[in-house]
């Protein structure tokens, strides 16, 4: 499903216009991005939790040359699906 398909689906099921559905979807996306950037966690019941996780620095290997390289520590996005989403996929 593409973003445009999702907008049409939301508009049909919420009895709103496509423009209103797109505005709500964009607002949700912005809320998730802002929360993740700030290092927080956003939980949406029946969907899951959006957040970040800290990855430690580690040593890696260049597969082409075999040279050892240092991989820096970083924050990475994380999503934990809710039970309802897991059950829907089963």
């Amino acid at each position: 499903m593409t973003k445009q398909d999702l907008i049409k689906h939301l508009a049909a099921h919420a009895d709103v216009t496509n423009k209103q559905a797109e505005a709500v979807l964009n607002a949700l996306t912005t809320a998730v991005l802002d929360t993740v950037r700030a290092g927080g966690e956003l939980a949406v019941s029946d969907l899951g939790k959006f957040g970040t996780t800290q990855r430690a620095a580690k040593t890696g290997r260049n597969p082409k040359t075999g040279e050892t390289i240092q991989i820096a520590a970083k924050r990475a996005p994380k999503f934990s699906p809710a039970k309802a989403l897991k059950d829907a996929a089963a």
Side-chain angles (χ1 to χ4, degrees):
M1 180 179 278
T2 65
K3 182 177 178 180
Q4 290 304 315
D5 293 337
L6 180 57
I7 290 169
K8 289 176 185 174
H9 182 79
L10 290 171
H13 284 74
D15 197 27
V16 295
T17 66
N18 283 356
K19 197 166 212 159
Q20 291 169 327
E22 183 175 13
V24 170
L25 183 58
N26 288 338
L28 175 64
T29 302
T30 300
V32 171
L33 291 175
D34 290 346
T35 303
V36 169
R37 273 190 203 107
E41 182 177 275
L42 178 94
V44 179
S45 61
D46 294 338
L47 184 59
K49 287 190 261 185
F50 297 90
T52 58
T53 185
Q54 186 66 32
R55 296 210 177 142
K58 61 183 179 180
T59 303
R61 189 170 300 278
N62 182 335
K64 188 172 186 179
T65 64
E67 178 186 1
T68 301
I69 58 174
Q70 189 62 29
I71 301 170
K74 65 178 181 177
R75 268 189 354 187
K78 178 182 174 182
F79 175 73
S80 301
K83 184 178 183 319
L85 183 61
K86 289 179 187 177
D87 292 344

